[in-house]
Structures are given as structure tokens and as C-alpha cells.
Amino acid sequence: MPTITTKDGTEIFYKDWGSGQPIVFSHGWPLSADDWDTQMLFFLNRGFRVIAHDRRGHGRSSQGGAGHDMDHYADDLAAVTEQLDLKNAVHVGHSTGGGEVVHYIARHGESRVAKAAILSAVPPLMVQTPSNQAGLPKSVFDDLQRQLAANRSQFYFDIASGPFYGFNRPDSKPSQPVILNWWRQGMMGGAKAHYDGIVAFSQTDFTEDLKKINVPVPVMHGDDDQIVPYADSAPLSAKLLTNGTLRTYKGFPHGMPTTEADTINADLLAFMKG
């Protein structure tokens, strides 16, 4: 398997297909690079080089017990871009991956970055704090950790069957293959990484990171997102970005890159070519 090794010895698995301008995809919690297969094939067939990695502790990457925080996630992404010598890259992040992209650009600069896009992403800050009263109470995320520790397999099946793709809505048409593929990816990863990752995606404040980014960034978010509530995320991120554009998708769920791939891919392509 193709991997790169980080400074602390973590092996990061990655996919690297094609040639042309690179698009680098960062996946959501608790998934893997496989969650981007539809996008990777779409852009590969349109002349782009497509790269996606499994975050540390996820998928086929090392399952060490430490380093499951946004600083390490961003540094691992930087290690991938540097060791593959990616230049003029477009970074696309979904959910936790959107936070990873934002933190990577703010922490490592824009010398290798042409553009970025964040989809259903966790910035600016998910958890409720004195300065972020609209956020979700910490107890919500504590309960996620409790469910993961009690029965990770059932917990992942329930998320995929319900709120992640909006399959709990009355007019939805649940897809068992989509549900099982989400469950499969989650169970490939490590319980410790996923447990710690809940803190990483919910309690990291990306406000100052967003302010540091100058490249164009569409903030793409469905208004029926039950995982990362729309009102407390996308509009706020778009305002904090120097060159951000808010794109709101009526009725789309958190997992819109999968369930609404035709729309999302077309909009990303227009952005890539714009």
C-alpha cells in the first residue's frame, strides 16, 4: 500500500491517481479516503490528479494511541503534500476534513494551495462556549463518545442509517449499500482515534484560521444538515474568510457528496475551472 511516514512515525495511507492539477480530498469522521471515490473518479476522468489520504487512526493508516487532534491532522496533510510535492493544489474537505483543510492552510501557508472548498464542514466551532452560545452543548459530544465506547458497531450503523444522510426523514429513500459502506469505513479505523476525534472536530475553534486564508473558498452546506447544523457553521465561516462564498443547498443532508453527488460534483467542477 502507498504510504508516507510522518515525523512521529505514523504511516498515512493515500491514493494518488492521474496527472494534471492536483485535487486533495480530506474525509470526514470516522471515515476514510474511500468516501471520496465518486468525486475522485469524476475529476480523474476530467483531467485532474486526485489524491486522498486516510487520516491517522482511520482506514488503512496507523492506529496509534496519540496525536488525534487538529494540529496533527493538519501536519499529516502537510506531510502528504510535501512528500508528493503537490503544487497549485485545490483542497476539498468534508465535515471534519473541512476543519483539517482550514487548519492546514492557516498553519502551513498557501504556497502549495491554489484554492480550497469546504463541504458540510465543522468550522468555525461546533461546541457551545461563553462566546459561542449558538453551539451545541458539550453534553451532546460527550454522549457520542459514550455511545462509541459502549457499542461502536451499532453506533456507526445508527448514524449512517439516520441523520448522516437524512435517511430518518419521512420522504427519504434509505440505501443499504450506502449505509453499509459508511459502517465498513468506520469499522476499519481505530476506536481510540475515533473517540478522540470527537473532541477534535467539536472543540477546535477555527475562527482565527479562517481569517488567515486568502485563497478562494466556497463554503458548501445543506440546510437540512443534522450533524453540523447549518446556521451555526457555513454562514459564519463564509463571513470570516477573506475570499469565501456561501453556497446553500436546500434540503441537502450532511452526507451530500454521496447522496447528491451529481450536484456537488458539477458545482465543484465549475469552481475548479472558474
Side-chain angles (χ1 to χ4, degrees):
M1 296 193 305
T3 62
I4 65 100
T5 303
T6 67
K7 292 178 180 179
D8 67 355
T10 301
E11 290 191 349
I12 303 294
F13 168 85
Y14 68 91
K15 305 177 186 184
D16 183 0
W17 305 338
S19 59
Q21 184 179 17
I23 306 175
V24 185
F25 295 94
S26 292
H27 64 78
W29 173 97
L31 304 174
S32 72
D34 294 355
D35 202 45
W36 290 112
D37 281 351
T38 301
Q39 283 70 38
M40 290 183 72
L41 289 172
F42 177 87
F43 286 101
L44 176 67
N45 291 329
R46 284 156 181 81
F48 291 90
R49 179 183 177 185
V50 292
I51 301 100
H53 68 292
D54 290 354
R55 186 172 299 119
R56 64 168 58 210
H58 296 62
R60 290 138 293 202
S61 292
S62 296
Q63 293 191 17
H68 307 298
D69 54 72
M70 277 295 162
D71 285 352
H72 280 87
Y73 296 165
D75 292 350
D76 292 348
L77 179 53
V80 171
T81 62
E82 289 164 9
Q83 293 191 39
L84 297 181
D85 195 25
L86 304 180
K87 299 174 181 177
N88 196 37
V90 181
H91 283 266
V92 180
H94 175 246
S95 193
T96 298
E100 177 180 285
V101 166
V102 165
H103 200 52
Y104 157 70
I105 297 174
R107 188 171 170 88
H108 292 275
E110 299 179 344
S111 62
R112 294 180 177 271
V113 181
K115 299 178 179 180
I118 56 174
L119 288 64
S120 312
V122 297
L125 174 62
M126 287 196 71
V127 74
Q128 186 181 72
T129 66
S131 60
N132 185 45
Q133 286 296 319
L136 296 171
K138 183 176 177 293
S139 60
V140 171
F141 304 106
D142 292 343
D143 187 57
L144 296 181
Q145 287 186 310
R146 180 193 61 77
Q147 292 182 69
L148 187 154
N151 188 338
R152 187 165 67 119
S153 181
Q154 185 66 58
F155 176 48
Y156 288 176
F157 185 79
D158 291 345
I159 293 174
S161 302
F164 197 91
Y165 295 112
F167 289 155
N168 54 346
R169 295 308 195 201
D171 58 348
S172 70
K173 297 179 180 179
S175 166
Q176 285 301 307
V178 167
I179 292 167
L180 293 176
N181 188 45
W182 199 101
W183 179 89
R184 173 191 69 86
Q185 291 180 72
M187 294 305 294
M188 285 171 63
K192 179 62 162 61
H194 295 169
Y195 187 89
D196 292 352
I198 292 171
V199 174
F201 75 66
S202 66
Q203 296 186 31
T204 302
D205 189 341
F206 300 95
T207 300
E208 296 306 314
D209 290 340
L210 291 161
K211 293 177 181 178
K212 294 177 183 177
I213 297 173
N214 296 301
V215 297
V217 184
V219 181
M220 305 165 67
H221 214 112
D223 68 1
D224 194 33
D225 191 323
Q226 300 174 67
I227 303 296
V228 181
Y230 170 83
D232 305 330
S233 53
L236 305 180
S237 289
K239 289 180 180 179
L240 289 165
L241 288 159
T242 300
N243 200 1
T245 305
L246 178 62
R247 300 188 183 184
T248 304
Y249 296 87
K250 185 173 178 56
F252 281 20
H254 187 68
M256 65 183 188
T258 297
T259 60
E260 306 293 344
D262 289 348
T263 298
I264 299 304
N265 290 353
D267 286 357
L268 282 173
L269 180 61
F271 170 65
M272 304 293 180
K273 292 184 172 182

